[in-house]
Amino acid sequence: MVTTVTDASSSLRGSHARAGFLVWVFPQPQNVDLSIPGEWRIGRDQSCEICLSGTDVSRRHAVLGRASDATKTTLADLGSRNGIRVNGRRVASAELDDGDVIRVGGWVGVVTCKTGVFGEILPGLWGGDGLAAAVALLRNAATSDLPIILEGETGSGKEVAARGIHNLSGRVGPFAAVNCAALPEGLAESEFFGYRRGAFTGADRASPGLFRGAEGGTLLLDEVAELPLGVQAKLLRVLEQREVLPLGETRPVPFDARIVVACQQPLRGDVAAGRFRADLLGRLDGLTVRLPALRERRADILPLFSHFLRSLCGGWVPALETSFVERLCLYDWPFNVRELLLQARRLATLFKGESTLLGRHLPERIGEQALSSPADAAPATSTDPVELPALISALRSSGGNVSRAAAMIGITRQRAYRLMDAQSVDLQGLRKQGDPPA
């Protein structure tokens, strides 16, 4: 049989994108195509179809298998010295799903739908094929004046993507961004559209406002769904007429700025709930792109972390312990790329000069699932009287998002599920009670 291990630069073709890949992210990038039925032995022996180096890999360590009529691939231990781990737990065998993190000796891999070379997709926006596919149309739209909506969880890179669009647009004006949620309703109009000197008490000088301030460039309206309905009505007119009426002026002033808006949830849900004007959405929805959460592209976590660390350390990156990498890949990153960057900054600051970053250098919340023991697989028999009420409150405020609720109270997602299982918490009921995820 022809080996299925390929160089990380191998292109993605045909139906393989639907079937998935096993991407070895550490210690060396390699791709295993899981779409072809068959059986592949993993080990350091040269006779293995997937040959992995390292003394912690047995000669014949494990086997990947997929029957011709199967939709999933199975990973099974072959009696190895160190065993195999799937999602942080030692197992004898397991069916692999998209997003699973596996460990074979000192090798860590991620099961993913897409793979490919990690690189700069848009100026400043880094990722692999999954992110590249999600934002592919942004390059085509960048040089137009088509309005764009960027959807994605907090920290997923919406502002970075908007800056990338601006950098590709050819516009010579500035890039400006405003958080609409931080604008007091009474000041939103003057901040957006500007004002004449003396227009109100304290207006000792004129202001062009955000729209004219971005003349010839790009204006990002972040958290646009948080704008009051009255301001939305005025914004609709501004976008239709391409002119603003500054406070205190009698004649509108034209402007030329590309408009990009960002939101965490689809705006159509806010329209249905009466929080966002349907006619404004119709004016903004030239192209809508959703940026995937970091947990949806786990194969990007290590290369993205290494990219950040290299920049922070002046090009030098310390060695990484296998358990360190496994923990990074297993964590759900509820605050996405922003949280990963902060961890890179933390490690570069606190452990500067270390030759190797170890698993114990990470905060406990980024390590518990990778250190699980067989006892952890059983449901918890008791719950912390403080943690459970706090978790329920966090679930309500996060709209039932378990990862975000766990992060809010400082526990892991696995701990949250154990708490809920032990007390038969109705998660679906909490999701109906809570507000939409922020």
Side-chain angles (χ1 to χ4, degrees):
M1 177 183 294
V2 178
T3 178
T4 59
V5 178
T6 64
D7 184 271
S9 62
S10 297
S11 59
L12 186 63
R13 295 186 179 92
S15 62
H16 296 178
R18 295 189 295 273
F21 290 80
L22 168 59
V23 179
W24 296 111
V25 296
F26 182 83
Q28 298 172 6
Q30 292 182 357
N31 299 335
V32 180
D33 188 344
L34 300 179
S35 68
I36 306 171
E39 189 172 276
W40 311 277
R41 292 166 299 169
I42 304 172
R44 72 171 190 271
D45 193 283
Q46 293 296 319
S47 66
C48 292
E49 288 78 19
I50 302 173
C51 187
L52 304 180
S53 60
T55 57
D56 45 7
V57 177
S58 298
R59 292 180 64 246
R60 293 177 179 83
H61 197 114
V63 61
L64 280 168
R66 181 176 181 183
S68 58
D69 58 347
T71 58
K72 294 182 179 180
T73 300
T74 299
L75 175 68
D77 188 23
L78 291 177
S80 64
R81 183 175 71 257
N82 296 323
I84 57 175
R85 292 160 70 98
V86 177
N87 296 330
R89 298 181 185 276
R90 184 161 178 167
V91 297
S93 65
E95 283 191 336
L96 300 180
D97 286 316
D98 183 43
D100 282 348
V101 177
I102 76 166
R103 178 171 170 178
V104 175
W107 289 71
V108 177
V110 177
V111 179
T112 177
C113 289
K114 295 180 180 291
T115 187
V117 177
F118 178 88
E120 193 173 24
I121 298 167
L122 295 175
L125 187 69
W126 292 75
D129 275 353
L131 182 60
V135 304
L137 292 178
L138 291 179
R139 281 189 171 272
N140 297 340
T143 56
S144 71
D145 62 355
L146 192 69
I148 293 174
I149 299 175
L150 298 175
E151 296 176 357
E153 294 181 4
T154 180
S156 58
K158 298 186 293 293
E159 183 169 341
V160 175
R163 286 183 181 273
I165 294 167
H166 173 71
N167 290 336
L168 293 174
S169 69
R171 288 181 163 266
V172 297
F175 172 85
V178 58
N179 185 343
C180 298
L183 282 177
E185 183 173 358
L187 298 178
E189 187 174 353
S190 60
E191 289 294 317
F192 276 146
F193 313 137
Y195 50 84
R196 188 182 66 181
R197 179 182 177 184
F200 52 86
T201 302
D204 55 354
R205 66 181 64 185
S207 169
L210 290 164
F211 278 83
R212 285 191 294 160
E215 181 69 23
T218 303
L219 176 61
L220 169 65
L221 304 179
D222 198 6
E223 303 290 0
V224 70
E226 299 300 318
L227 284 175
L229 288 170
V231 178
Q232 291 179 31
K234 295 177 181 178
L235 180 58
L236 174 64
R237 180 174 179 81
V238 165
L239 296 178
E240 288 177 341
Q241 303 297 325
R242 305 298 294 182
E243 58 186 22
V244 297
L245 181 63
L247 292 179
E249 297 286 1
T250 57
R251 294 183 179 179
V253 181
F255 74 92
D256 174 26
R258 170 68 165 292
I259 305 301
V260 178
V261 303
C263 51
Q264 294 192 32
Q265 301 294 330
L267 289 175
R268 294 189 182 279
D270 292 290
V271 170
R275 293 188 295 266
F276 200 80
R277 293 179 62 105
D279 50 4
L280 180 55
L281 174 58
R283 188 66 183 82
L284 293 171
D285 195 13
L287 170 64
T288 296
V289 170
R290 176 184 175 273
L291 274 66
L294 192 54
R295 65 181 172 276
E296 296 174 33
R297 48 186 185 105
R298 292 187 187 275
D300 287 354
I301 292 173
L302 180 61
L304 191 57
F305 172 81
S306 299
H307 167 72
F308 289 150
L309 203 60
R310 189 176 298 111
S311 299
L312 293 164
C313 297
W316 174 79
V317 177
L320 304 177
E321 183 186 46
T322 303
S323 64
F324 179 96
V325 174
E326 186 180 21
R327 292 180 182 197
L328 282 185
C329 294
L330 281 170
Y331 184 53
D332 273 345
W333 301 103
F335 304 111
N336 295 292
V337 179
R338 185 181 295 127
E339 186 179 6
L340 183 66
L341 174 59
L342 183 60
Q343 280 304 315
R345 289 177 56 196
R346 172 185 176 275
L347 292 161
T349 300
L350 299 182
F351 302 103
K352 185 178 182 180
E354 293 280 353
S355 60
T356 303
L357 290 178
L358 308 175
R360 60 181 174 81
H361 290 153
L362 290 166
E364 185 178 349
R365 72 178 186 278
I366 303 180
E368 181 177 308
Q369 56 270 68
L371 295 176
S372 62
S373 64
D376 291 328
T381 57
S382 64
T383 60
D384 187 295
V386 176
E387 278 185 344
L388 184 60
L391 175 61
I392 290 174
S393 176
L395 284 166
R396 287 195 177 107
S397 64
S398 67
N401 186 312
V402 178
S403 296
R404 196 170 304 163
M408 288 167 65
I409 66 172
I411 64 174
T412 65
R413 182 173 63 110
Q414 283 71 18
R415 173 65 175 161
Y417 275 115
R418 289 200 294 271
L419 288 169
M420 290 188 292
D421 288 344
Q423 295 296 314
S424 301
V425 173
D426 181 6
L427 181 58
Q428 293 301 322
L430 287 172
R431 285 173 174 161
K432 291 177 181 179
Q433 294 175 30
D435 297 325

